[in-house]
């Protein structure tokens, strides 16, 4: 009888129910459905992990960008400080040069005044002796 039913496209399963589909194909279909559901669940889990990973990476990227900008700012400050020190050094060097020039001028003037004093003292001494 089961062969006659199969010819008509009807099948009897393990618990003696009448089916339109071959029980082996039905079992394989159910197994495939379960595997597909399992795959879909794993895919959803992977998608959640990927989204979380993306958030983490974006946060790290933001942190890296902040640190990069801070480092650039610090580097610029250091360059500015170096330029300021160099400008100050040049200013001090020019002041030292000016003071050295003034010192030389004052030394020359002092020597001149010593000669003048010496000459005047000599004139005074000569005048006092001649009197």
């Amino acid at each position: 009888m089961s062969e006659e039913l199969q010819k008509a496209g009807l099948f009897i399963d393990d618990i003696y129910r009448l089916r339109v589909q071959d029980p082996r194909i039905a079992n394989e279909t159910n197994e495939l459905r379960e595997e597909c559901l399992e795959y879909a669940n794993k895919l959803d889990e992977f998608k959640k992990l990927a989204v979380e990973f993306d958030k983490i990476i974006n946060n790290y990227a933001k942190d890296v960008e902040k640190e990069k900008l801070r480092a650039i700012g610090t580097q610029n400050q250091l360059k500015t400080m170096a330029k300021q020190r160099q400008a100050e050094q040049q200013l001090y060097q020019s002041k030292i040069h000016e003071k050295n020039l003034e010192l030389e001028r004052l030394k020359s003037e002092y020597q001149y005044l010593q000669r003048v004093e010496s000459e005047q003292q000599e004139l005074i001494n000569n005048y006092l002796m001649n009197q």
Side-chain angles (χ1 to χ4, degrees):
M1 173 157 177
S2 115
E3 289 177 12
E4 293 172 8
L5 288 174
Q6 284 180 359
K7 287 181 184 177
L10 299 173
F11 301 92
I12 298 177
D13 65 7
D14 295 340
I15 55 174
Y16 300 104
R17 283 202 253 163
L18 187 61
R19 303 275 180 167
V20 180
Q21 189 177 26
D22 187 356
R24 288 176 296 157
I25 294 175
N27 286 339
E28 289 175 4
T29 303
N30 285 336
E31 287 175 8
L32 181 62
R33 182 180 304 120
E34 288 175 12
E35 287 176 10
C36 287
L37 288 174
E38 186 179 331
Y39 177 76
N41 289 337
K42 287 182 179 180
L43 192 60
D44 285 341
E45 186 178 330
F46 177 75
K47 184 178 178 182
K48 289 176 187 175
L49 289 173
V51 167
E52 187 65 28
F53 179 75
D54 185 54
K55 287 179 185 177
I56 291 170
I57 293 300
N58 284 334
N59 286 337
Y60 281 136
K62 288 176 186 176
D63 291 344
V64 166
E65 189 64 26
K66 285 178 188 176
E67 287 298 316
K68 178 181 169 186
L69 292 175
R70 189 179 67 75
I72 289 171
T74 302
Q75 190 175 31
N76 288 340
Q77 284 178 337
L78 290 174
K79 286 179 182 178
T80 301
M81 289 173 60
K83 287 179 182 178
Q84 286 175 343
R85 285 187 184 141
Q86 187 177 12
E88 287 176 357
Q89 185 178 11
Q90 288 177 349
L91 177 67
Y92 292 141
Q93 289 293 334
S94 68
K95 285 183 179 183
I96 288 171
H97 183 68
E98 288 174 14
K99 295 295 180 181
N100 282 334
L101 289 175
E102 186 178 356
L103 177 64
E104 290 300 317
R105 184 188 60 80
L106 290 174
K107 282 181 180 179
S108 296
E109 187 178 339
Y110 178 69
Q111 288 173 354
Y112 171 74
L113 290 175
Q114 281 181 327
R115 272 189 314 221
V116 169
E117 181 187 21
S118 169
E119 289 172 1
Q120 286 179 355
Q121 190 64 38
E122 194 176 310
L123 282 173
I124 291 172
N125 286 342
N126 285 341
Y127 178 73
L128 287 177
M129 287 195 160
N130 288 337
Q131 276 188 351

